[in-house]
Amino acid sequence: MADLEVYKNLSPEKVERCMSVMQSGTQMIKLKRGTKGLVRLFYLDEHRTRLRWRPSRKSEKAKILIDSIYKVTEGRQSEIFHRQAEGHFDPSCCFTIYHGNHMESLDLITSNPEEARTWITGLKYLMAGISDEDSLAKRQRTHDQWVKQTFEEADKNGDGLLNIEEIHQLMHKLNVNLPRRKVRQMFQEADTDENQGTLTFEEFCVFYKMMSLRRDLYLLLLSYSDKKDHLTVEELAQFLKVEQKMNNVTTDYCLDIIRKFEVSEENKTKNVLGIEGFTNFMRSPACDIFNPLHHEVYQDMDQPLCNYYIASSHNTYLTGDQLLSQSKVDMYARVLQEGCRCVEVDCWDGPDGEPVVHHGYTLTSKILFRDVVETINRHAFVKNEFPVILSIENHCSVQQQRKIAQYLKGIFGDKLDLSSVDTGETKQLPSPQSLKGKILVKGKKLPYHLGDDAEEGEVSDEDSADEIEDECKFKLHYNNGTTEHQVESFIRKKLESLLKESQIRDKEDPDSFTVRALLKATHEGLNAHLKQHPDVKENGKKSHGRSLMTNFGKHKKTTKSRSKSYSTDDEEDTQQNSGKETGQLYRLGRRRKTMKLCRELSDLVVYTNSVAAQDIVDDGTTGNVLSFRKTRAHQVVQQKSEQFMIYNQKQLTRIYPSAYRIDSSNFNPLPYWNAGCQLVALNYQSEGRMMQLNRAKFKTNGNCGYVLKPQQMCKGTFNPFSGDPLPANPKKQLILKVISGQQLPKPPDSMFGDRGEIIDPFVEVEIIGLPVDCCKDQTRVVDDNGFNPVWEETLTFTVHMPEIALVRFLVWDHDPIGRDFVGQRTVTFSSLVPGYRHVYLEGLTEASIFVHITINEIYGKWSPLILNPSYTILHFLGATKNRQLQGLKGLFNKNPRHGSSENNSHYVRKRSIGDRILRRTASAPAKGRKKSKMGFQEMVEIKDSVSEAARDQDGVLRRTTRSLQERPVSMPVDKSLLGALSLPVSETAKDTDGKESSLVQI
């Protein structure tokens, strides 16, 4: 961060003074929401890696990693400080530490300004050092910290020594299953000082190295060293060229490796690399599975914006769920620095003429629009200079719209000036390169027919993203004697308890029992509560004379004719009379929604004009952004994928989550990336499978937030659902040898924690991309060994479009009644590097799997049975001719025919023969078992789970019966989505060539 640069140059004396004070500890008041301040002793640990405090009921968990600190602010800037009465604390004694994924705040008050200044300086110095590290230094530092932390946690009595019993307990914690005799032998070899029977930290490091000796790496070294215990410069160069497929390997490069990684001074003098140095090199970032060149921008950045996937955030300001969580300006800083390039700002009228940002009609907190814009301005281009898209969801009056425009122009200044941007002679969007340092405002634009002199005008509000359905809105009123705080407190408690109890399987389903019951229970419970306490007041505050309405159920409106049925997601099925004006559209019997827009805000929108589907005109113009809720976009992708792909070659499309994802869970972005959609907006605050895929997608190309789409998506078209979507292109064959694992921990949700059983790990590898490429395979189970399990198994995959494919490595702990998630790492196929590589599991310091990667090209037309053995014979026999490509206009304006309700346009997959094979136990994979093949519909419905454990007993991803049900005829597809295109609810599922899909297994 720019504001940390100054702290890198502090004098050594000042640094040591700060560190000394912090490590000695300082008594401070810790402010907490809703409670009085707590006096605690805060101190920096001896390794300068953690901030700790005591006393605390959390014990070992009472710590904050310096790595996890996002920023430190001086004074009374946080929300908790703002709640305190003015003058209650001296601002010069106050500071706030923001940390973790959800920007949690630790608000502290010192006894004098000098102590606060010391802590702020010391913390920022430590943060500056971390931000300046290269990948090798960071890996070494985290390894050293992990070893030290492991030693301290094993030292139960805190005497700085480990006895043999403590070592045995540590072995169990680390999932090491060695004979006690072998452990004692290594213990005695490491115990070399006078104090026999215990290990100091230095002796423990020797013991740990003996225990960690890698047989697989030792055999690999011997195979290239002519059976010597070291590699010469020439032998190292040969290994790098032959196995690691490195070009331009020089003598100087090999000598540099020896200098950096060899630990023996004698070997350094001889210019050879011993087993310890070789192990250090192989476990370094240089031998990571991710191509180190892809940490920088390497793709062509001079193509039009529509040719790129753009990292996009939904409801950026929220720290948690969509109903109750806090809104924080710091979330914008966090996502921008993570590489996100499209952020969302929901603007509403606020008090005193100041627009605010929050999730409308919910209990989420409000933040000032001005603060949001100032935060974006400070952090937009810290990590990279490529353009930021500001998605303005405008719900404000004209007066406050003018205030919004004023703040945007006043704060962003020249960043909004696009007059110098060169778009060339053709009608196309500018490139990311030409827009460097610029901010694009995505919003509504006044229609051209109004003329430049019109100060304001009416625009469509039909595509207002995230506008909650009327039946789903919280509209707060308070009955006589009831305070706002009382009502809000009751709702929060009720919803929080219900959310914890519920597992919403299909959050997109309006009939979901859980969603309806959740809010119905809240509504009924509140009414009963208010009847029991009609006159309750709090702190003498007067009531506001309002009542609460929380009917969150989605009520379908049905007419007598099935062809004219409506839902809260769907517009009326209007008559398609070509010679007739269709200016008046209806929504549930009401006039089309419009809103007033002021000229000042409209003029800020240049290349990113938000349009509704019914306003799309295929006149060759560019600069429109079409916003779809996920449930609507799904219908377009299923029915008109090729036409949608063509549309996305000229314009931008934004997909955002359904309003029913009240827990801020994320949908599967893959189907929309596969159709060429650029802006697939996810909830960045929600960790899980989908955000892991999103992170992997955008980590390549320097994590700049822009990833070039495949050339086939930018020109021409193909059917992403085809069994052979690109027959003229070579396919990639991935041969993946899973060799071994290192220091795999117990599952994070293990019932007994470190005292639980030693794990029985196996590895699952999943290819995620086009439907034809989606499959998975897994190794056998290794019993009772998480420290250094060996699999030595080869898995083979064939990928038709590697440019968009992701490779996902998962480690599971086998269990007789299921399996437990241990860790994962997801990498783009294009970022894989061949040779012997380590796959470090995300979020786990030392845990990794060791693999060998070979990538071959396959030319010519091959049977899918040969390319992917898991592709069953019925898939192959069902592949016939593709449906003809209809015009672009048909994407939004044509009605497909309706058929009988018995035939469904969804893919319905039953279990394959391979999946029915009885395995060794309920979930243990049998050696040589076939890969699981996922149909597109199954891929779409994979649920987002942090634990990755939402699987059936076979360990294969399944869709629930509920999610396979077809959409009722009374709920046709929204006409604003397809522009009078209804979903053919009864058309037979077709594959790439137009015949019936053969997805029904024997």
Side-chain angles (χ1 to χ4, degrees):
M1 295 182 213
D3 62 337
L4 294 178
E5 289 296 320
V6 65
Y7 291 92
K8 295 177 183 177
N9 302 316
L10 292 177
S11 67
E13 297 80 16
K14 188 167 187 176
V15 169
E16 283 309 311
R17 187 166 63 251
C18 288
M19 296 299 111
S20 175
V21 170
M22 294 166 70
Q23 288 181 317
S24 299
T26 304
Q27 291 274 2
M28 290 187 257
I29 297 173
K30 175 184 175 186
L31 281 187
K32 294 184 70 175
R33 191 187 308 274
T35 64
K36 294 181 179 180
L38 305 173
V39 178
R40 296 288 183 266
L41 177 69
F42 288 84
Y43 61 98
L44 184 68
D45 73 352
E46 60 177 305
H47 313 297
R48 301 180 179 179
T49 60
R50 292 173 178 79
L51 171 62
R52 293 181 175 273
W53 58 92
R54 61 175 184 260
S56 173
R57 287 175 296 178
K58 296 179 181 177
S59 184
E60 274 300 306
K61 293 184 179 179
K63 63 188 177 188
I64 294 174
L65 295 175
I66 301 299
D67 276 5
S68 73
I69 297 178
Y70 165 68
K71 72 173 181 177
V72 180
T73 60
E74 304 178 44
R76 295 162 43 91
Q77 295 189 37
S78 74
E79 180 188 350
I80 291 178
F81 272 124
H82 286 162
R83 292 186 177 189
Q84 301 294 323
E86 199 67 41
H88 200 57
F89 300 110
D90 180 358
S92 62
C93 296
C94 303
F95 67 99
T96 301
I97 300 169
Y98 292 94
H99 63 98
N101 289 336
H102 296 289
M103 301 294 293
E104 299 165 68
S105 67
L106 176 62
D107 301 276
L108 300 173
I109 305 161
T110 60
S111 57
N112 61 70
E114 181 61 30
E115 287 180 340
R117 170 49 43 196
T118 298
W119 274 86
I120 292 167
T121 302
L123 289 171
K124 288 190 174 184
Y125 169 79
L126 293 171
M127 293 166 63
I130 289 171
S131 69
D132 209 30
E133 282 181 330
D134 61 22
S135 56
L136 177 59
K138 184 172 183 178
R139 163 122 295 280
Q140 187 60 48
R141 176 176 59 82
T142 54
H143 171 75
D144 293 344
Q145 289 174 4
W146 182 87
V147 173
K148 184 66 175 176
Q149 182 186 354
T150 300
F151 176 83
E152 289 175 347
E153 290 176 357
D155 182 14
K156 300 299 182 184
N157 58 8
D159 61 357
L161 301 169
L162 297 185
N163 57 40
I164 188 64
E165 193 52 43
E166 288 172 325
I167 287 290
H168 283 309
Q169 292 175 15
L170 178 60
M171 295 294 98
H172 187 82
K173 176 185 174 181
L174 295 179
N175 288 306
V176 180
N177 187 16
L178 285 175
R180 294 175 77 90
R181 176 182 52 78
K182 179 67 175 175
V183 174
R184 180 170 290 278
Q185 179 186 338
M186 290 191 296
F187 183 95
Q188 290 170 347
E189 288 180 28
D191 187 10
T192 55
D193 65 2
E194 297 176 357
N195 190 9
Q196 291 291 299
T198 57
L199 299 182
T200 63
F201 174 67
E202 291 71 23
E203 290 172 331
F204 171 74
C205 290
V206 174
F207 173 84
Y208 180 76
K209 285 179 181 178
M210 293 166 58
M211 184 177 67
S212 305
L213 182 64
R214 293 274 299 276
R215 181 175 178 272
D216 49 2
L217 291 180
Y218 187 63
L219 292 176
L220 182 59
L221 180 143
L222 291 179
S223 68
Y224 275 86
S225 67
D226 195 23
K227 296 188 171 54
K228 302 189 300 292
D229 63 354
H230 61 264
L231 291 170
T232 65
V233 171
E234 295 75 20
E235 290 164 344
L236 176 58
Q238 181 73 358
F239 168 76
L240 296 176
K241 291 173 186 175
V242 174
E243 290 294 351
Q244 307 300 82
K245 308 299 181 189
M246 293 177 64
N247 300 318
N248 305 317
V249 177
T250 64
T251 300
D252 286 343
Y253 180 76
C254 294
L255 288 171
D256 190 51
I257 289 174
I258 294 171
R259 179 181 59 80
K260 282 182 180 177
F261 298 101
E262 180 54 55
V263 293
S264 165
E265 291 300 326
E266 182 182 350
N267 284 350
K268 283 183 180 180
T269 304
K270 295 179 179 178
N271 288 333
V272 297
L273 192 67
I275 180 59
E276 197 171 341
F278 184 64
T279 300
N280 291 340
F281 170 64
M282 292 301 295
R283 286 184 64 81
S284 75
C287 292
D288 188 79
I289 194 170
F290 186 85
N291 190 336
L293 298 178
H294 291 188
H295 286 297
E296 306 295 330
V297 175
Y298 70 95
Q299 295 178 344
D300 176 11
M301 302 305 287
D302 288 311
Q303 298 191 30
L305 278 179
C306 53
N307 286 7
Y308 297 85
Y309 298 112
I310 305 171
S312 305
S313 164
H314 169 255
N315 285 359
T316 310
Y317 47 88
L318 290 181
T319 58
D321 66 72
Q322 304 287 306
L323 294 179
L324 306 168
S325 66
Q326 295 294 309
S327 304
K328 290 187 179 179
V329 295
D330 295 303
M331 291 301 292
Y332 287 94
R334 180 196 140 200
V335 303
L336 286 168
Q337 295 195 73
E338 284 181 8
C340 180
R341 294 286 92 184
C342 178
V343 295
E344 184 176 17
V345 187
D346 281 330
C347 304
W348 297 80
D349 282 352
D352 305 320
E354 288 290 335
V356 296
V357 174
H358 77 118
H359 196 30
Y361 304 110
T362 69
L363 298 177
T364 56
S365 62
K366 300 177 177 66
I367 50 179
L368 290 175
F369 176 81
R370 181 186 66 246
D371 293 345
V372 168
V373 176
E374 287 174 345
T375 300
I376 293 171
N377 188 52
R378 283 197 303 271
H379 297 278
F381 305 112
V382 170
K383 292 292 185 181
N384 75 77
E385 292 186 73
F386 290 107
V388 169
I389 299 173
L390 203 63
S391 183
I392 299 284
E393 299 301 333
N394 178 16
H395 307 280
C396 292
S397 62
V398 169
Q399 292 78 9
Q400 296 210 14
Q401 287 179 33
R402 292 194 173 102
K403 203 70 176 282
I404 288 173
Q406 176 189 329
Y407 284 136
L408 290 173
K409 288 186 283 189
I411 294 170
F412 289 146
D414 292 342
K415 295 183 180 77
L416 293 177
D417 181 12
L418 304 178
S419 58
S420 61
V421 175
D422 180 23
T423 58
E425 297 180 5
T426 58
K427 288 185 177 180
Q428 63 180 19
L429 291 166
S431 69
Q433 185 68 32
S434 67
L435 290 169
K436 269 190 168 183
K438 298 297 182 181
I439 290 177
L440 305 179
V441 176
K442 181 182 95 61
K444 293 290 184 181
K445 199 164 180 65
L446 289 174
Y448 293 109
H449 66 75
L450 282 181
D452 293 340
D453 56 342
E455 291 297 315
E456 59 188 59
E458 296 278 335
V459 294
S460 166
D461 196 31
E462 291 293 342
D463 69 321
S464 181
D466 305 338
E467 172 82 33
I468 298 179
E469 302 295 342
D470 288 340
E471 292 85 357
C472 306
K473 296 175 180 175
F474 281 109
K475 297 176 182 177
L476 292 174
H477 287 236
Y478 308 114
N479 289 332
N480 293 337
T482 309
T483 68
E484 177 178 1
H485 181 84
Q486 182 188 356
V487 171
E488 183 175 330
S489 176
F490 176 83
I491 296 170
R492 284 186 182 278
K493 286 178 182 176
K494 188 71 176 177
L495 283 175
E496 282 171 352
S497 64
L498 287 167
L499 277 170
K500 285 177 184 176
E501 291 172 12
S502 64
Q503 294 294 324
I504 303 174
R505 181 60 186 167
D506 187 0
K507 301 175 185 69
E508 305 276 317
D509 185 356
D511 285 331
S512 166
F513 171 79
T514 314
V515 175
R516 298 182 71 187
L518 187 151
L519 286 128
K520 184 180 178 184
T522 306
H523 179 53
E524 291 174 351
L526 178 65
N527 287 339
H529 181 77
L530 295 179
K531 285 176 183 176
Q532 290 173 14
H533 307 279
D535 300 316
V536 177
K537 296 187 180 181
E538 186 175 295
N539 300 331
K541 292 181 182 177
K542 292 183 179 180
S543 66
H544 296 270
R546 297 184 286 181
S547 68
L548 181 80
M549 300 169 61
T550 59
N551 177 12
F552 213 98
K554 207 180 198 186
H555 301 293
K556 294 181 274 293
K557 312 257 183 183
T558 311
T559 65
K560 293 179 182 179
S561 168
R562 280 193 168 191
S563 63
K564 289 190 178 182
S565 52
Y566 316 103
S567 77
T568 52
D569 273 346
D570 304 331
E571 286 195 70
E572 185 177 3
D573 188 0
T574 54
Q575 296 291 328
Q576 297 298 306
N577 297 328
S578 57
K580 189 176 178 180
E581 285 290 324
T582 57
Q584 290 190 341
L585 296 178
Y586 292 83
R587 183 178 176 84
L588 299 179
R590 300 193 301 270
R591 290 178 61 85
R592 179 179 174 184
K593 289 168 58 180
T594 60
M595 62 173 288
K596 281 193 177 295
L597 178 68
C598 75
R599 170 67 61 184
E600 294 93 325
L601 194 52
S602 171
D603 287 347
L604 296 179
V605 178
V606 182
Y607 296 114
T608 46
N609 176 28
S610 291
V611 293
Q614 63 267 24
D615 296 329
I616 289 290
V617 179
D618 186 17
D619 60 358
T621 59
T622 58
N624 293 328
V625 181
L626 190 60
S627 285
F628 280 151
R629 182 176 288 121
K630 180 263 175 188
T631 44
R632 301 176 182 179
H634 175 68
Q635 311 301 333
V636 182
V637 170
Q638 287 281 40
Q639 295 299 315
K640 298 282 185 179
S641 56
E642 292 173 83
Q643 296 92 306
F644 199 19
M645 196 178 293
I646 292 173
Y647 174 81
N648 288 324
Q649 291 170 4
K650 295 288 184 184
Q651 312 281 11
L652 298 176
T653 301
R654 180 174 182 266
I655 313 296
Y656 59 91
S658 160
Y660 281 89
R661 289 187 177 271
I662 57 177
D663 59 350
S664 293
S665 60
N666 284 310
F667 60 92
N668 186 1
L670 259 295
Y672 311 102
W673 288 335
N674 290 348
C677 298
Q678 300 87 355
L679 301 158
V680 183
L682 298 183
N683 293 302
Y684 270 57
Q685 74 272 28
S686 297
E687 188 49 60
R689 176 186 171 91
M690 302 315 168
M691 267 308 296
Q692 290 160 2
L693 301 185
N694 192 73
R695 262 199 306 275
K697 179 83 170 176
F698 290 102
K699 184 173 182 180
T700 189
N701 203 30
N703 197 33
C704 72
Y706 289 84
V707 172
L708 192 61
K709 295 197 294 190
Q711 194 61 29
Q712 301 91 327
M713 283 188 179
C714 301
K715 294 179 181 178
T717 187
F718 63 92
N719 184 348
F721 302 113
S722 170
D724 191 8
L726 300 164
N729 290 30
K731 303 162 183 61
K732 296 282 188 183
Q733 182 188 52
L734 172 64
I735 303 174
L736 184 69
K737 186 175 184 181
V738 182
I739 301 170
S740 62
Q742 294 78 42
Q743 297 161 51
L744 305 175
K746 292 178 171 61
D749 52 357
S750 174
M751 184 181 299
F752 298 104
D754 296 337
R755 295 179 292 108
E757 292 182 346
I758 292 176
I759 65 171
D760 306 323
F762 67 95
V763 177
E764 180 178 72
V765 181
E766 182 181 2
I767 304 295
I768 305 167
L770 292 182
V772 69
D773 291 333
C774 290
C775 58
K776 59 176 70 171
D777 203 352
Q778 53 198 29
T779 67
R780 62 186 172 85
V781 172
V782 172
D783 292 327
D784 290 336
N785 187 354
F787 191 75
N788 54 2
V790 175
W791 291 285
E792 289 280 352
E793 287 194 48
T794 300
L795 313 178
T796 304
F797 304 91
T798 300
V799 182
H800 294 70
M801 183 171 270
E803 298 91 339
I804 61 173
L806 301 172
V807 184
R808 187 165 170 82
F809 299 85
L810 299 109
V811 177
W812 299 92
D813 173 23
H814 165 63
D815 173 311
I817 58 171
R819 60 180 186 174
D820 295 313
F821 173 72
V822 174
Q824 69 83 36
R825 172 86 178 275
T826 308
V827 184
T828 53
F829 189 100
S830 58
S831 294
L832 296 178
V833 272
Y836 287 97
R837 304 289 166 182
H838 279 91
V839 184
Y840 280 95
L841 303 184
E842 195 174 270
L844 300 173
T845 305
E846 292 294 296
S848 64
I849 50 180
F850 187 48
V851 300
H852 183 272
I853 291 175
T854 305
I855 298 174
N856 300 321
E857 285 197 341
I858 300 175
Y859 293 87
K861 186 160 185 175
W862 290 73
S863 161
L865 285 170
I866 297 171
L867 299 180
N868 276 333
S870 62
Y871 203 91
T872 67
I873 189 70
L874 291 177
H875 283 83
F876 178 52
L877 295 175
T880 54
K881 240 183 136 136
N882 189 0
R883 282 180 291 178
Q884 282 190 329
L885 176 64
Q886 299 175 24
L888 172 61
K889 199 168 182 181
L891 175 59
F892 300 110
N893 295 323
K894 281 195 178 180
N895 267 326
R897 63 184 178 83
H898 289 266
S900 66
S901 60
E902 299 162 49
N903 298 322
N904 188 358
S905 63
H906 293 302
Y907 283 95
V908 181
R909 179 187 181 280
K910 293 187 179 180
R911 292 173 61 184
S912 67
I913 296 171
D915 293 340
R916 294 166 184 255
I917 297 173
L918 183 63
R919 290 183 279 165
R920 178 161 64 86
T921 65
S923 69
K927 188 168 183 177
R929 176 179 169 270
K930 302 297 184 185
K931 293 186 285 290
S932 307
K933 189 75 186 175
M934 291 183 290
F936 171 75
Q937 182 68 15
E938 184 172 5
M939 180 185 71
V940 169
E941 299 295 338
I942 293 172
K943 300 314 292 179
D944 187 1
S945 167
V946 177
S947 70
E948 289 285 344
R951 307 295 197 276
D952 69 2
Q953 65 174 3
D954 289 328
V956 178
L957 294 168
R958 299 290 182 206
R959 300 175 63 243
T960 62
T961 306
R962 177 71 192 168
S963 62
L964 285 172
Q965 291 179 353
E966 67 182 70
R967 192 182 186 91
V969 178
S970 61
M971 295 178 66
V973 177
D974 192 321
K975 293 305 176 295
S976 72
L977 168 68
L978 298 175
L981 173 65
S982 300
L983 173 66
V985 296
S986 54
E987 224 176 299
T988 302
K990 296 186 179 181
D991 67 1
T992 62
D993 295 318
K995 288 188 181 178
E996 284 189 22
S997 174
S998 317
L999 291 176
V1000 178
Q1001 309 289 324
I1002 296 175

